[in-house]
Amino acid sequence: MTTSTTRVLALLEILQGGGTRTVADLAARLGVDERTVRRYAGHLLELGVPVESLRGRYGGYRLAPGHRMPPLMLTDEEALAVLLGLLVAQRTGPVTASGAASESAAAKLRRVLPKALGRRLEALLETADFTAPPRSAGAREAVLLLGLAEAARDRRPVALGYTDRRGRSSERTVWPYGLVAHGGRWYLTAADPSAGPATDPSAGPATDPSTDPSAGPATAPSTDPSAGPVAGPAEVRTFRLDRVTGMHVLPGSFESPPDFDPVAAVLDSLAGAPWAHEVRVRVRAEEHHVRRHLPPGLATLSPLPPEDGADWTEVRLRAERLDWIPGVLAALDRPFVIDRPPELRTLVTSLADRLTMYATASAPEAPAPDDH
């Protein structure tokens, strides 16, 4: 690679650092005169790199957004960070791009890594494994994610098509508040002005503003003539992005509640999903002790008034099956009272009887040693 080509690429790397760079600064960093800097900038423009020239006292050069991403100049550490992020996201993260897109992007980076760094990365890929299988995703989900994110930022209502876990389809208008990545999936938290039931039982019921101060009532849209205000309060709902069948942004705008926390809304919604059993248990322990065994997406915890000088915490959760809950209660190692359902008491008693039997059983006699 010629010296001039190397310096043109060095100019690109400097400009990718962001901001406007004066010609004098660029000339000093590249070790050339200002006329040569202008010639190098012209070479980048000929290659399709969107370089902007700014005139005036504080003028210079900067990169402008282009139709296509310009060639990236990454350090070894930056390239490794991007590549590892792609590989790990395919396995453990909420991937929204297609597997082919992720793999092709990773392959391009691997081809240009220095040999020594490439060998170290290959060693990592050959010896590392993941406990979770990769989750398939397509370009459609990526388009939905970007579209909903833009609507949430600009406070624009959205017409949403949705299919719940039972295969029921619906069309509704929502006010997107935010997007949350949780458990390898993306969730949309949004206000639903309609008064119907929760859209997706697996994603969680509507948050009741009267009982959940973290959610609060949705604020009515602004009086945009093209949209018009929606009468009455709106309930906050959670939608799984992979079950969204379509969306388009509508005219008008809305105001989101102050201090609304999308993460808390999604976790509360998941913890309150309407499964087969509703469980209420009072535990004689502080909330932080119970939380170590029951994360926010699994259970809702509420402190209770102290009794006999001890802290009590109410645990509320919903579950399709109860057989795993006795083991969690045993792991708490604290006194507890089961309020509902009655069949949970039977399961806990059965587990206690089995543990007692295991603990008191005599060990089998060891076989006699063979004399031969």
Side-chain angles (χ1 to χ4, degrees):
M1 186 178 294
T2 64
T3 302
S4 60
T5 303
T6 302
R7 286 174 175 161
V8 170
L9 294 177
L11 172 61
L12 175 60
E13 184 174 6
I14 294 171
L15 294 178
Q16 285 179 336
T20 301
R21 305 286 183 173
T22 65
V23 176
D25 175 52
L26 292 171
R29 296 187 62 176
L30 296 173
V32 296
D33 56 38
E34 295 185 4
R35 182 178 179 181
T36 304
V37 170
R38 296 187 179 92
R39 188 171 73 250
Y40 288 167
H43 291 334
L44 291 177
L45 285 170
E46 292 172 359
L47 293 172
V49 179
V51 178
E52 283 187 342
S53 175
L54 303 178
R55 298 183 179 277
R57 179 180 178 185
Y58 300 103
Y61 291 104
R62 69 182 182 189
L63 285 186
H67 178 67
R68 295 179 60 86
M69 181 182 293
L72 287 176
M73 300 294 293
L74 301 176
T75 65
D76 290 354
E77 187 176 0
E78 290 170 342
L80 186 59
V82 173
L83 184 53
L84 288 178
L86 284 171
L87 297 174
V88 173
Q90 290 178 32
R91 288 284 185 166
T92 61
V95 181
T96 53
S98 66
S102 298
E103 291 175 4
S104 63
K108 290 178 182 178
L109 283 171
R110 292 169 70 175
R111 281 197 297 268
V112 298
L113 286 178
K115 290 183 178 180
L117 185 59
R119 285 194 298 268
R120 300 182 71 182
L121 178 63
E122 290 297 334
L124 173 62
L125 298 180
E126 291 173 5
T127 57
D129 209 340
F130 300 90
T131 57
R135 185 176 73 86
S136 61
R140 182 187 64 85
E141 192 171 336
V143 173
L144 288 172
L145 180 68
L146 295 176
L148 290 169
E150 190 172 33
R153 181 197 62 191
D154 298 338
R155 300 291 187 261
R156 300 286 300 278
V158 170
L160 202 68
Y162 197 74
T163 302
D164 67 16
R165 62 189 293 266
R166 294 187 175 90
R168 298 174 301 188
S169 299
S170 63
E171 298 285 339
R172 60 185 64 233
T173 297
V174 300
W175 309 333
Y177 288 166
L179 291 152
V180 177
H182 174 71
R185 297 189 183 278
W186 283 101
Y187 293 87
L188 168 69
T189 176
D192 187 351
S194 66
T199 307
D200 185 0
S202 68
T207 303
D208 183 359
S210 65
T211 59
D212 185 2
S214 67
T219 306
S222 62
T223 54
D224 187 325
S226 61
V230 177
E235 294 182 273
V236 177
R237 301 176 184 270
T238 297
F239 302 89
R240 262 177 51 175
L241 195 67
D242 59 323
R243 290 187 173 140
V244 175
T245 57
M247 61 82 67
H248 66 272
V249 180
L250 300 174
S253 62
F254 63 88
E255 294 294 331
S256 60
D259 302 324
F260 179 77
D261 186 349
V263 173
V266 169
L267 292 177
D268 287 345
S269 181
L270 293 174
W275 297 111
H277 302 281
E278 181 182 357
V279 177
R280 295 285 182 97
V281 179
R282 286 171 288 151
V283 182
R284 186 177 179 179
E286 295 179 350
E287 185 175 342
H288 67 83
H289 175 81
V290 181
R291 183 58 78 196
R292 289 202 296 265
H293 301 271
L294 292 165
L298 190 61
T300 300
L301 306 183
S302 302
L304 295 172
E307 294 184 15
D308 300 329
D311 292 311
W312 285 78
T313 299
E314 182 185 49
V315 178
R316 290 174 292 154
L317 62 90
R318 289 177 169 87
E320 197 66 26
R321 297 181 2 243
L322 297 173
D323 54 357
W324 59 274
I325 299 179
V328 176
L329 295 177
L332 290 174
D333 194 25
R334 294 292 190 276
F336 58 84
V337 177
I338 298 174
D339 292 325
R340 68 175 70 163
E343 52 265 40
L344 180 57
R345 300 191 188 98
T346 303
L347 291 174
V348 171
T349 301
S350 177
L351 174 61
D353 291 342
R354 291 198 306 274
L355 293 176
T356 300
M357 180 182 65
Y358 300 153
T360 58
S362 300
E365 293 185 2
D370 190 354
D371 295 334
H372 300 285

